Amino acid sequence: MGRRGVGGRGGRAHRDEGSALVEFVTLGVLVLLPVVYLVVTLGRIQAASFATDGGARAAARAFVAAPDAATASASAEAAVRLALLDQGFGAGPDALAVECSEQPCLTPGGRVVVRVSVDVVLPGVPAALDAVVPTHVTIRSTQVATVDAFRAVAP
């Protein structure tokens, strides 16, 4: 006699071969896509954190080591621009803010506070949606440097 279907009845057999593989792949993709998006997003935020922290530190050092205020500002801007570009971010006009505790700014013993900020747009989010619902994260870093107490004062 021929082979009978499931349950001993005649007719076609109900076959489940391959359905486990299809379910595994489908559920795997549905679970894996949000995890990959989360990893990419957190990677961009961490890169922004590295960029702002390194940029603020380098800008503060460059500022207090410069011979005059004009050179100090240019050096600080260049340091921030380089740190942000190194991590794939553009330096906007408000990326750097410098505050001095003394006037003129490079007075010996004075403190210089450097603030660097960068906006991280979440990957894959259209600009039209960002205009309606804010879908970006602003990362900020602050560094304080002291002007050398034995610095020669410019005449």
Side-chain angles (χ1 to χ4, degrees), residues 6-7 46 61 70 72 78 108 113 115 121 124 129 134 150-151 155:
V6 177
Q46 186 64 37
R61 287 179 179 174
V113 179
R115 290 184 177 83
V121 178
L129 181 63
F150 300 107
R151 176 187 180 94

Side-chain angles (χ1 to χ4, degrees), residues 4-152:
R4 303 231 169 188
V6 177
R9 297 183 184 209
R12 292 189 205 182
H14 179 69
R15 302 179 78 188
D16 282 341
E17 293 176 13
S19 67
L21 180 63
V22 171
E23 291 172 5
F24 177 75
V25 169
T26 303
L27 291 176
V29 168
L30 289 176
V31 170
L32 190 62
L33 284 178
V35 170
V36 169
Y37 183 79
L38 180 67
V39 168
V40 169
T41 302
L42 291 177
R44 288 299 291 161
I45 292 172
Q46 186 64 37
S49 178
F50 285 145
T52 57
D53 189 45
R57 186 175 35 243
R61 287 179 179 174
F63 198 93
V64 298
D68 56 39
T71 306
S73 294
S75 297
E77 288 175 11
V80 169
R81 190 177 325 106
L82 183 64
L84 293 179
L85 285 175
D86 187 41
Q87 295 294 333
F89 296 99
D94 58 345
L96 174 66
V98 178
E99 296 175 12
C100 301
S101 65
E102 304 287 331
Q103 290 301 328
C105 206
L106 294 174
T107 302
R111 291 181 359 163
V112 176
V113 179
V114 175
R115 290 184 177 83
V116 177
S117 65
V118 66
D119 282 336
V120 180
V121 178
L122 301 180
V125 176
L129 181 63
D130 189 43
V132 177
V133 178
T135 58
H136 62 275
V137 178
T138 302
I139 306 295
R140 295 180 182 93
S141 184
T142 302
Q143 182 73 29
V144 178
T146 303
V147 180
D148 187 17
F150 300 107
R151 176 187 180 94

